[in-house]
Amino acid sequence: MSWGTELWDQFDNLDKHTQWGIDFLERYAKFVKERLEVEQNYAKQLRNLVKKYCPKRSKEEEPRFTSCLSFYSILNELNDYAGQREVVAEEMAHKVYGELMRYSQDLKAERKHHLQEGRKAQQYLDHCWKQMDNSKRKFERECKEAEKSQLTFERLDNDINATKSEVEKAKAQFYLRTHMADESKNEYAAQLQNFNAEQWKHFNNAIPHIFKNLQAMDERRTVKLGETYRSFAEAERRVIPIVSKCLEGMVSAAKAVDERRDSGIVVESFKSGFEPPGDFPFEDFSQNLSRTGSDGTISSTPKGDRDRDGAPGPRPDLKQHPMSRTKNKLWLFGKKPKAPSLEDFSHLPPEQRRKRLQQRIDELNKELQKEIDQRDALNKMKDVYEKNPQMGDPNSLQPKISETICNMEKLRSEIHKNETWLSEVEGKQSSRGDRRHSADNHHHAPQGRESPEGSYTDDTSQEHHTPHHRPKSPPSGHPNPDPHEFDDEFDDDDPLPVIGHCKALYSFDGQNEGTLVMAEDEVLYIIEEDKGDGWTRARKQSGEEGYVPTSYVDITLEKNSKGAVTYI
């Protein structure tokens, strides 16, 4: 349907309709703008959420559990998903909102031009109508004046009293009015013919042409809306494949969660390398009663026996040293002693220390290989410069070569130092395993057992807590004990009897051969007293034996303890 033929008389309504069309287009543009702002805010909130829950630690400190890694993968996928929401907002901003606002401005200008043409055509038609109407009114007036002059002439012509001059004057006036009426009639006829022609042109040419342009403009507006509706949807649909990949990545991350692998990581992360504590021995308090009948009999024990058995004084009150099973704190069930991070990782359990040392050695070897490669490259460049002096001065490379060699020596020294620590850890673990294996076949050792090999270190970093008193160095009479001497002692046929018990005041790492690793608050059995060298021989609940610093423990000796044990 054509607006020009069907709506030829609806110029004002079409004016209103085209204005409504532009207003509707701008309203839709406003909707798109608010929609893309929703996407922008959504993407921003998603990115902030991802940032909030992303780990802030270094990669070395991040958990290696599959559940954690999967969660971090989901965060990465969600971050990519937020990026796709930003793409949607950008597409809507440029291809929908921006396009609509540009088109709206063009549409307003075009509408204004067509309406101005329509108003001009209407004004010209109105002008023609006024000219025709004026000529019509003039013709009407002239006809009325001619009729009056005719009546006047006829009245005077029939009046016998009228003079001839009056009659002639009336007649001349009648002829004049009749002539003017004829001229007005001709002018009116011409104006009427002109108006009819202009009106035909107006309603058959000008208005249809203008209305046709308005119709085309409005239809283009409708088409543009349809295209932007499609662009609005396409902006979302184009990112669906990538969004699907993000969601698939999240599903894959969920499938990658492996509970058995995580359990294995827990074992590898926290495995200390220690053996579980052994059973508590039965301590027979009734043994003294069966051997002796009275306190007098007990006190009559020869002094030499008491000295030999390591019970020189009265038994301290056990209430001051509670050793009940509930207060026996071991690493496995109690509070692990806190310690600063040491260069040799001696504050860690053996297994963890071994892993950390091995990791550091691998890293140092990689750095050493880089320095070696750099040295080789510099030497090759130096050879090239020596053969081709025009390419460069070979002496200019010497400082860099010297620096590289110095770095290599430092790295080799670090590697050697860490390898020494690693060998020490691996050696201790194997020796402890051997001792635990032979713990059931211990026998009495000869009198005058020696102290552990070497003097106790003064480096305060070797322990977790610095005690108030340092143990003395081993006796000078045993400067270089045989490294297998203590293994031989622990392989005796019968284990030494327990003569008391002690509670560790501080942790002790037992790095020297023959010493015993001890945790803070750990309860040990005393099997040999301090002989003045600052060392006391003790036995763990697992059966492992060795020397500990006397100043590191709170000792309770059993009265007449020969062959007796204490129940803790």
Side-chain angles (χ1 to χ4, degrees), residues 455-460 462-463 470-471 509 511-512 535 552:
S455 61
Y456 178 68
T457 178
D458 289 334
D459 185 1
T460 58
Q462 296 291 332
E463 280 74 40
R470 296 285 182 189
D509 59 5
Q511 288 190 350
N512 295 326
W535 297 91
Y552 276 43

Side-chain angles (χ1 to χ4, degrees), residues 415-568:
I415 291 172
H416 177 71
K417 181 169 63 174
N418 283 274
E419 286 178 344
T420 302
W421 288 334
L422 180 62
S423 300
E424 177 186 331
V425 174
E426 292 175 344
K428 282 187 178 182
Q429 287 180 331
S430 61
S431 65
R432 286 171 186 160
D434 294 341
R435 291 174 191 173
R436 281 192 293 269
H437 181 70
S438 60
D440 296 334
N441 298 320
H442 290 172
H443 296 289
H444 288 284
Q447 294 294 328
R449 297 180 184 272
E450 297 177 0
S451 301
E453 178 185 359
S455 61
Y456 178 68
T457 178
D458 289 334
D459 185 1
T460 58
S461 64
Q462 296 291 332
E463 280 74 40
H464 303 299
H465 301 282
T466 304
H468 297 290
H469 303 285
R470 296 285 182 189
K472 298 179 182 179
S473 300
S476 59
H478 308 280
N480 295 310
D482 185 1
H484 301 290
E485 177 181 351
F486 297 101
D487 291 338
D488 294 336
E489 291 177 0
F490 297 148
D491 290 334
D492 292 340
D493 295 333
D494 297 322
L496 292 174
V498 175
I499 62 174
H501 55 266
C502 67
K503 180 180 180 181
L505 301 175
Y506 314 100
S507 59
F508 179 64
D509 59 5
Q511 288 190 350
N512 295 326
E513 186 68 26
T515 58
L516 189 65
V517 177
M518 179 175 63
E520 183 181 0
D521 293 332
E522 185 175 2
V523 177
L524 305 173
Y525 302 122
I526 304 299
I527 58 177
E528 185 175 318
E529 288 186 82
D530 184 352
K531 298 185 179 299
D533 56 2
W535 297 91
T536 298
R537 189 171 181 183
R539 179 186 299 151
K540 282 180 171 286
Q541 297 169 8
S542 60
E544 185 180 355
E545 296 182 2
Y547 286 92
V548 296
T550 305
S551 60
Y552 276 43
V553 292
D554 185 3
I555 299 175
T556 302
L557 294 176
E558 299 297 334
K559 190 175 181 180
N560 295 329
S561 58
K562 184 176 182 179
V565 294
T566 304
Y567 182 79
I568 300 177

Side-chain angles (χ1 to χ4, degrees), residues 142 171-181:
E142 292 297 333
K171 184 178 180 180
Q173 186 68 23
F174 169 65
Y175 285 152
L176 177 62
R177 291 296 180 183
T178 302
H179 178 70
M180 291 177 67

Side-chain angles (χ1 to χ4, degrees), residues 69-134:
L69 297 177
S70 295
F71 177 59
Y72 298 152
S73 297
I74 289 174
L75 290 178
N76 291 332
E77 295 294 348
L78 188 60
N79 195 55
D80 294 341
Y81 177 82
Q84 295 309 308
R85 306 320 306 178
E86 291 173 342
V87 170
V88 171
E90 186 176 354
E91 288 278 323
M92 290 182 177
H94 292 292
K95 294 188 177 180
V96 184
Y97 177 72
E99 186 68 20
L100 283 173
M101 296 309 295
R102 287 190 296 270
Y103 186 74
S104 175
Q105 297 301 320
D106 296 341
L107 207 61
K108 289 178 180 178
E110 183 179 358
R111 173 181 176 276
K112 182 179 180 181
H113 173 70
H114 294 323
L115 293 179
Q116 284 179 346
E117 286 186 344
R119 290 190 180 94
K120 286 180 180 179
Q122 189 66 42
Q123 288 172 359
Y124 179 70
L125 183 64
D126 292 342
H127 175 70
C128 293
W129 182 85
K130 286 180 180 179
Q131 286 183 335
M132 183 272 295
D133 188 63
N134 289 336

